[in-house]
Amino acid sequence: MRIIRNLAVTLAVNRNNSQRNHHKIIMSRQLHANRTVGVDKNVWVEFTQLAADYKAVNLGQGFPDFSPPQFIQDAFCAALNGGPSMHQYTRAFGHPRLVKSLARFFSRTVGHEIDPLDDILVTVGAYQALFCAFQALIDDGDEVIIIEPFFDCYQPMALMAGGNAVYVPLRPKKGSAVLSSGDWVLSAEELTSKITPRTKAIVINTPNNPLGKVYQLEELQMIADLCVKHDLLCFSDEVYEWLTYDGAKHVKIASLPGMWERTVTIGSAGKTFSATGWKVGWAISSGNIIKHLKVVHQNSVYHCATAAQEAVACGFETEFELFGTPESYFHQLPAMLHHKRQKLASCLQSVGLQPIMPEGGYFMITDISSVKCDLNDESTKYESYDFRFVKWLTKEKGLATIPVSAFFSPEHSKEFDKYIRFCFVKENATLDAAENILKKWNQRE
Amino acid sequence: MDLIFVLQYTMSSKHTPARRIEGLDKNVWVAFTSVAADPSIVNLGQGYPDIPPPSYVKEALAKAVAVDRLNQYTRGFGHPSLVKALSQVYGKVYGRHIDPLKEVLVTVGGYGSLFNSIQGLVEEGDEVIIIEPFFDCYVPMVRMAGAKPVLIPLRPKSGTKTVTSADWYLDPDELSDKFTSRTKAIIINTPNNPIGKVFTRDELQMIADLCIKHDTLCFSDEVYEWLVYKGHQHVKIATLPGMWDRTITIGSAGKTFSVTGWKLGWSIGPEHLIKHLQTVMMNSLYTCPTPLQEAVAQGFLVNYELMGQPECYFSSLAEELEGKRDRLAAVLQEVGMTPIIPEGGYFMLVDVTSLNQDLTHMTDDEAYDYKFVKWMIKEKKLAAIPVTAFVGEESRKQFEKYIRLCFIKKDCTLEAAGNILKNWRKV
């Protein structure tokens, strides 16, 4: 009898415990959705934290540390004082004044009459434009060709849409010294060999982050021919489109024959007007394609901030009038960055490093294989060389950069782990500080 | 070469959209918001204020834009000063410490929080319970995640004439039956759009008991949390026992500070849930605009000091709106319509049956309320939103006699609406 009573008591205690514990056990099944698996790590979170922790001179993350131009800041102020409607919802697919100014501006450069309501979607930065493109057009099992080195978000976005990323690297030309981003090229044979019946899209980024390559017309034509032949879509990330140096010309692949109806061209107010924190971007394509991106947009964020869009519209209206003149910000900004690019390159060369001169964009990559240093940090033992080097440079020298293998696929990252990326879109004081660090380091060697 | 080119162009191509967006292109707002552009129409349709936001919030934005650094990228999961302010304000409201870095995510409006929650936590094949009438995006978002919306309507209490949103309730047995082994989450919205119902503690406890019993999550859309009228209290389901660990609570700067065009919102919840929303954020838009976040932070800091006092915007706005609610309701009753007086939020449902408006000449296969609103816009120059936009097919019949009016409007707008209503019978 006592045994049975004890058993009953034990069972009661167990049941109470499991009920209590049940409150704590949330979901015996998986909490998170499968689409978030494998896309939860991010190089920026780690490296921006490191730069902050060590108060390093930050040539890492890509944003200006100088102010946006006065006229664009004034435009934002005018917008926020422009009456109550500036603080309430605007048209979901893009503030009317902005889509009109974008259509007017870009119709000229893309060589196609862009319809402001049908052919444009305004997004929360170019990042969200990419997201809409992947979510709208990539399905389970689709293959997406990504040209390496690539802005790191393309791969997780393809994955999250159920797609498979297929990589094709830009490679330095053999034979001659590799001095410029123009010396990195795509092999037509290699690209062709990666196309299968499952290939849905190819992602290109020109000017390229991190390399700075500005694709030439012939290179884009080669890609376009394959897109037309195999009926592929093209996602063309052109956020740095105004930042070309040494006379390099930015060409829009969407302007090539047969490409308007299959290309999503992505742009960024943040990069255009040196105001990355505004997060206004856009996708431009034929209405048949944009309508699908709109569906993703209306079921994810729906609207973008009104006043910021109004300010960007003013910016484009101003630039439309000044286009091609010395007063144009699209002329002044690359001219200013041209000097900074040179300044950083000279400083790197003076300490024995080999920068690859970028033809465009915000960044310069540098070959660090000639640097002898003792990376004796146990905690980074299993990471790739450039990751270890960047962490050492941040901690030991107080200079923050970004490792370039972060922009390559796992299968190719070993080939490219001797480069680090510098952002030169910084005020001269920052570049001077970096120069001092490098000079001091060089003197000690 | 040209012929091949032409064939390629006209062939049905691989440019088919992804299946996840199939059937999600329709939207009630597309049909009705173009109305807002016509100044001759008195617009009580789409839910946004035509009254200005508090001046200190606008000033804070102007100040922020003048600071170089605040025009560049900020922390992806939320600008530090904003997440700290949210942690402070909501820590007080919840009565618990809220970690600003791990338990708060800033998103593009309440809308963005809903998207991140559903994309982060709802799997293909899951079921998600949604209470009708619902803010219309819940169903397409659940479908885009490959999951199945399971609908349950709020029902008017029988017997009494329903005159307030409190007369609408969830049948506990009916709700209980909706929970299956596939149920991943239930979405609740309190105060509710469009009815204005403020769920009581008992009602939320009933829902919480089911969440715990069936081990589901709860997404609580509380964007109108401050807009609760006298005699009612906003209760956070996440504060009920056992619920913090399984609830994402959603808030909105747009609704809090009357700045819907700023599109900032937030999700608050336990780290083990928020981290999945952060993953979605990291792979969708990465970060929200900096100067706007800084300005919202300032708005919260100002009002944190005033919480509990009448000068606090959270209370003063509710008081201002209560007056507008009552004046609009009075006019509607005067002309023989039946408003459902909302306990919270800034919408009011109106039963238009008593007007006996003959719409047989409108032959489109649409619900009565859609026809009524379109007719009213054209003939009476007054815009509203049809309520069947907020319910599923099966509940259409119960809700097609209602239209939704938004009353967060200037007094002159509401007066103009009142005049139209008073002159209704006149041709």
Side-chain angles (χ1 to χ4, degrees):
Chain A
M1 198 55 199
R2 194 145 32 114
I3 295 168
I4 293 169
R5 199 164 57 230
N6 282 347
L7 200 56
V9 166
T10 310
L11 283 171
V13 167
N14 285 346
R15 191 172 57 237
N16 284 341
N17 279 344
S18 76
Q19 271 171 354
R20 228 176 287 128
N21 288 341
H22 191 67
H23 285 211
K24 288 248 178 258
I25 300 166
I26 308 296
M27 307 245 143
S28 46
R29 65 196 143 135
Q30 179 177 293
L31 269 174
H32 55 277
N34 281 332
R35 65 183 71 81
T36 65
V37 171
V39 298
D40 52 329
K41 294 281 174 289
N42 187 282
V43 67
W44 308 109
V45 176
E46 190 182 5
F47 283 95
T48 51
Q49 192 59 54
L50 197 66
D53 290 345
Y54 284 86
K55 298 195 182 359
V57 173
N58 196 350
L59 300 196
Q61 199 185 359
F63 61 86
D65 65 359
F66 49 80
S67 70
Q70 191 62 48
F71 77 92
I72 205 79
Q73 279 182 298
D74 290 345
F76 203 129
C77 283
L80 70 98
N81 286 313
S85 65
M86 284 291 116
H87 301 282
Q88 307 307 332
Y89 294 128
T90 182
R91 178 177 169 269
F93 303 133
H95 187 54
R97 190 170 175 184
L98 177 56
V99 293
K100 283 193 192 105
S101 67
L102 289 170
R104 197 163 72 122
F105 197 98
F106 286 105
S107 290
R108 263 194 324 209
T109 52
V110 87
H112 181 104
E113 199 56 40
I114 300 172
D115 182 298
L117 303 184
D118 290 344
D119 299 344
I120 301 180
L121 174 66
V122 175
T123 54
V124 180
Y127 216 98
Q128 197 225 335
L130 285 160
F131 180 74
C132 287
F134 279 99
Q135 287 284 311
L137 301 167
I138 304 300
D139 219 332
D140 286 342
D142 285 344
E143 289 177 7
V144 179
I145 295 179
I146 297 175
I147 299 175
E148 312 182 270
F150 56 92
F151 180 56
D152 73 300
C153 81
Y154 304 159
Q155 181 265 337
M157 284 192 184
L159 194 62
M160 200 169 145
N164 295 319
V166 172
Y167 302 97
V168 182
L170 288 165
R171 294 179 192 285
K173 270 186 207 157
K174 286 200 172 52
S176 54
V178 174
L179 300 170
S180 144
S181 58
D183 297 323
W184 288 62
V185 293
L186 202 56
S187 152
E189 288 80 39
E190 196 174 359
L191 177 57
T192 307
S193 73
K194 299 290 188 172
I195 298 173
T196 76
R198 308 229 55 161
T199 309
K200 188 81 183 278
I202 176 168
V203 185
I204 67 171
N205 174 216
T206 178
N208 171 276
N209 170 9
L211 189 54
K213 178 181 176 63
V214 174
Y215 287 68
Q216 310 227 332
L217 176 62
E218 297 72 34
E219 292 171 305
L220 294 175
Q221 190 62 65
M222 182 269 284
I223 296 170
D225 289 342
L226 287 168
C227 285
V228 172
K229 177 175 178 186
H230 297 276
D231 196 23
L232 307 180
L233 295 168
C234 179
F235 300 165
S236 184
D237 176 353
E238 302 182 14
V239 296
Y240 302 106
E241 59 186 306
W242 305 112
L243 303 181
T244 57
Y245 315 112
D246 296 333
K249 283 218 149 5
H250 174 72
V251 178
K252 287 186 168 297
I253 197 171
S255 66
L256 302 185
M259 290 304 285
W260 165 255
E261 55 267 21
R262 61 181 69 253
T263 306
V264 180
T265 303
I266 287 163
S268 157
K271 304 294 194 286
T272 295
F273 293 112
S274 307
T276 60
W278 289 19
K279 292 291 292 185
V280 175
W282 48 85
I284 297 180
S285 182
S286 134
N288 282 333
I289 302 243
I290 290 294
K291 72 183 184 195
H292 301 309
L293 276 70
K294 284 177 176 174
V295 176
V296 175
H297 183 76
Q298 89 190 35
N299 289 300
S300 57
V301 304
Y302 206 12
H303 298 86
C304 301
T306 311
Q309 291 188 69
E310 174 82 3
V312 174
C314 287
F316 270 104
E317 285 165 13
T318 303
E319 283 300 313
F320 186 83
E321 302 304 326
L322 296 173
F323 193 68
T325 72
E327 286 75 38
S328 159
Y329 189 67
F330 301 167
H331 172 85
Q332 291 170 347
L333 180 62
M336 174 174 61
L337 294 184
H338 195 282
H339 286 298
K340 294 180 189 287
R341 182 190 74 143
Q342 194 53 57
K343 185 178 164 73
L344 179 65
S346 305
C347 142
L348 292 169
Q349 282 157 343
S350 73
V351 300
L353 291 171
Q354 293 132 293
I356 316 266
M357 282 304 258
E359 299 155 281
Y362 267 15
F363 308 103
M364 181 181 297
I365 75 170
T366 300
D367 187 336
I368 48 160
S369 42
S370 63
V371 176
K372 290 168 190 37
C373 64
D374 190 5
L375 303 180
N376 53 10
D377 189 345
E378 272 299 305
S379 68
T380 65
K381 208 161 64 158
Y382 299 108
E383 292 178 8
S384 61
Y385 185 81
D386 56 342
F387 271 69
R388 304 181 66 204
F389 186 90
V390 164
K391 288 182 180 178
W392 177 86
L393 193 62
T394 308
K395 291 177 186 172
E396 299 302 322
K397 301 292 174 192
L399 180 60
T401 58
I402 298 286
V404 169
S405 65
F407 301 89
F408 279 91
S409 62
E411 50 250 52
H412 295 129
S413 59
K414 278 275 166 290
E415 291 174 55
F416 299 100
D417 68 350
K418 297 292 193 307
Y419 298 96
I420 63 175
R421 185 194 85 168
F422 291 85
C423 174
F424 55 87
V425 184
K426 304 289 177 187
E427 55 182 10
N428 285 340
T430 313
L431 297 174
D432 287 339
E435 188 168 15
N436 288 338
I437 290 171
L438 289 167
K439 285 216 164 96
K440 260 207 213 104
W441 178 23
N442 193 44
Q443 276 155 18
R444 283 211 213 109
E445 300 290 297
Chain B
M1 196 56 197
D2 287 329
L3 182 63
I4 293 167
F5 173 82
V6 167
L7 281 174
Q8 292 280 9
Y9 184 83
T10 54
M11 243 163 68
S12 73
S13 70
K14 285 190 274 183
H15 303 187
T16 46
R19 278 164 297 170
R20 66 180 62 85
I21 58 171
E22 249 168 57
L24 304 187
D25 49 323
K26 294 282 176 290
N27 188 286
V28 65
W29 311 109
V30 174
F32 289 98
T33 52
S34 51
V35 162
D38 183 344
S40 72
I41 293 175
V42 177
N43 192 355
L44 301 195
Q46 199 183 358
Y48 62 85
D50 64 359
I51 53 183
S55 58
Y56 54 83
V57 148
K58 266 198 330 177
E59 278 152 28
L61 181 57
K63 270 212 199 91
V65 172
V67 177
D68 289 355
R69 192 181 41 82
L70 295 179
N71 286 287
Q72 307 304 335
Y73 293 131
T74 184
R75 175 178 170 268
F77 304 141
H79 186 52
S81 61
L82 177 55
V83 295
K84 283 196 191 102
L86 289 168
S87 155
Q88 217 183 7
V89 168
Y90 284 103
K92 189 168 177 175
V93 172
Y94 280 71
R96 68 176 288 142
H97 170 69
I98 294 175
D99 185 314
L101 303 183
K102 298 189 179 146
E103 295 177 332
V104 179
L105 174 67
V106 176
T107 56
V108 178
Y111 221 95
S113 273
L114 286 159
F115 181 73
N116 285 15
S117 300
I118 292 168
Q119 284 284 310
L121 301 169
V122 175
E123 185 56 68
E124 277 180 46
D126 282 349
E127 289 176 7
V128 177
I129 298 173
I130 295 171
I131 300 168
E132 299 174 297
F134 51 87
F135 180 56
D136 72 301
C137 79
Y138 302 163
V139 163
M141 281 192 185
V142 165
R143 287 175 52 200
M144 192 171 153
K148 180 179 165 200
V150 171
L151 305 180
I152 173 172
L154 286 168
R155 293 187 185 284
K157 286 188 190 144
S158 57
T160 56
K161 196 166 166 173
T162 65
V163 290
T164 103
S165 54
D167 296 324
W168 291 71
Y169 75 106
L170 264 185
D171 183 299
D173 294 327
E174 194 180 359
L175 180 60
S176 178
D177 284 344
K178 299 290 182 182
F179 280 80
T180 73
S181 60
R182 308 222 61 142
T183 308
K184 186 70 181 278
I186 177 170
I187 302 178
I188 68 170
N189 176 216
T190 179
N192 167 278
N193 171 9
I195 285 191
K197 178 179 176 63
V198 172
F199 284 71
T200 64
R201 183 173 295 274
D202 287 343
E203 288 171 316
L204 293 174
Q205 188 63 65
M206 185 265 287
I207 296 170
D209 289 342
L210 286 165
C211 286
I212 291 169
K213 177 176 175 184
H214 295 276
D215 198 18
T216 70
L217 300 174
C218 178
F219 302 153
S220 186
D221 176 353
E222 301 183 12
V223 297
Y224 301 104
E225 60 185 305
W226 310 111
L227 303 181
V228 173
Y229 305 119
K230 282 200 206 66
H232 310 287
Q233 201 201 5
H234 176 70
V235 178
K236 288 185 167 300
I237 196 169
T239 59
L240 301 184
M243 289 305 287
W244 168 259
D245 286 319
R246 60 179 71 250
T247 305
I248 297 284
T249 305
I250 291 163
S252 156
K255 306 293 193 276
T256 297
F257 292 110
S258 306
V259 286
T260 60
W262 287 27
K263 287 295 294 190
L264 282 173
W266 43 86
S267 299
I268 293 179
E271 182 183 356
H272 59 261
L273 296 181
I274 291 288
K275 72 183 184 191
H276 301 303
L277 279 66
Q278 288 175 335
T279 300
V280 177
M281 185 70 180
M282 215 159 71
N283 292 297
S284 59
L285 48 105
Y286 201 84
T287 181
C288 291
T290 315
L292 295 166
Q293 291 190 68
E294 177 66 28
V296 173
Q298 296 307 317
F300 270 112
L301 292 176
V302 165
N303 283 290
Y304 178 72
E305 301 303 326
L306 301 170
M307 271 170 91
Q309 297 169 41
E311 296 80 32
C312 179
Y313 191 69
F314 308 157
S315 329
S316 67
L317 180 61
E319 185 157 333
E320 186 185 349
L321 289 180
E322 189 162 343
K324 292 179 191 287
R325 177 196 73 164
D326 293 344
R327 286 193 293 279
L328 182 62
V331 171
L332 290 163
Q333 282 156 340
E334 215 178 284
V335 303
M337 291 196 228
T338 314
I340 315 274
I341 313 291
E343 301 152 272
Y346 48 61
F347 303 106
M348 186 179 305
L349 246 52
V350 186
D351 181 341
V352 298
T353 315
S354 58
L355 295 174
N356 280 319
Q357 188 58 48
D358 179 12
L359 298 174
T360 49
H361 64 283
M362 295 175 77
T363 51
D364 283 341
D365 179 30
E366 282 181 317
Y368 182 82
D369 56 344
Y370 269 75
K371 290 185 190 170
F372 185 92
V373 167
K374 286 182 177 171
W375 172 86
M376 187 171 76
I377 291 172
K378 186 160 174 240
E379 301 299 328
K380 299 294 179 186
K381 300 286 188 194
L382 176 63
I385 296 289
V387 172
T388 58
F390 301 92
V391 304
E393 269 295 312
E394 287 172 27
S395 295
R396 256 171 63 157
K397 279 275 165 287
Q398 288 99 293
F399 288 92
E400 65 178 342
K401 57 185 175 173
Y402 299 104
I403 63 173
R404 185 194 83 168
L405 298 176
C406 173
F407 55 89
I408 185 166
K409 303 289 177 186
K410 290 187 289 217
D411 284 342
C412 57
T413 311
L414 295 173
E415 267 162 43
N419 288 336
I420 292 171
L421 292 165
K422 285 178 189 153
N423 292 319
W424 194 272
R425 301 272 176 220
K426 300 184 189 145
V427 173

